[in-house]
Amino acid sequence: MMPDEAGFESNEKITGRDPVQRKDKPAEQMYDREVPITGVPGHTLLHDWLDGEVDEMRASEVEGKSKIELWTRINAESEMLRRRVTPVHVQQRIMASLPDTPGTASNWWKQQVTMTPVSAIAIGVALLAVGALIIQALR
């Protein structure tokens, strides 16, 4: 018996059939990475400049001045946004709204409900009245 492509032995001798000639599939291009590797078509000098591997003058000569200016502006704005902090008066308002000791704030759904005997009797009477009304409606 001969192993096939999957590594299993074929049953041609057992079944008495001639082996089927398989057509080779055309090679498909494999995409195993999202970011191009150095030397791969599509990797430009702009990528090298953004990585800090090439100086700005050389990148602007090859890639064009507009692309370099765009990315310089994007980098400057990103850096400005990274350095932004919350204003002091907002921080003070946030800190003032926090409880003094940790764990003292409780959630409304976790609060224990206390029921007085009067409210329990009122609820019971209301439920009996609603039940009587339903029974009357069904008759």
Side-chain angles (χ1 to χ4, degrees):
M1 289 192 195
M2 292 178 47
D4 63 2
E5 288 180 4
F8 298 106
E9 294 179 357
S10 60
N11 293 329
E12 290 130 8
K13 292 183 180 177
I14 296 172
T15 60
R17 296 186 311 187
D18 290 331
V20 177
Q21 296 297 326
R22 296 185 182 187
K23 296 178 183 176
D24 290 332
K25 293 181 183 178
E28 296 179 14
Q29 187 175 3
M30 299 293 289
Y31 296 100
D32 62 342
R33 297 177 187 225
E34 255 184 276
V35 180
I37 303 173
T38 306
V40 174
H43 183 80
T44 61
L45 203 59
L46 179 65
H47 293 117
D48 292 335
W49 174 70
L50 289 170
D51 292 337
E53 299 170 359
V54 176
D55 62 6
E56 185 174 342
M57 288 295 283
R58 182 167 176 226
S60 64
E61 290 172 1
V62 175
E63 292 294 329
K65 197 165 183 101
S66 62
K67 285 184 182 178
I68 302 299
E69 287 174 358
L70 170 72
W71 282 102
T72 303
R73 240 181 315 142
I74 290 172
N75 287 335
E77 289 177 14
S78 316
E79 191 61 33
M80 178 189 66
L81 292 174
R82 273 189 218 105
R83 296 190 191 291
R84 245 187 215 171
V85 294
T86 306
V88 175
H89 70 278
V90 175
Q91 286 181 351
Q92 290 171 346
R93 285 180 51 199
I94 292 171
M95 296 308 287
S97 68
L98 294 174
D100 292 334
T101 57
T104 56
S106 61
N107 301 324
W108 62 268
W109 63 86
K110 291 183 180 178
Q111 292 177 353
Q112 189 171 3
V113 178
T114 56
M115 188 179 296
T116 62
V118 175
S119 62
I121 292 171
I123 291 173
V125 170
L127 287 174
L128 283 173
V130 169
L133 287 173
I134 292 174
I135 291 173
Q136 284 296 329
L138 293 176
R139 285 187 186 182

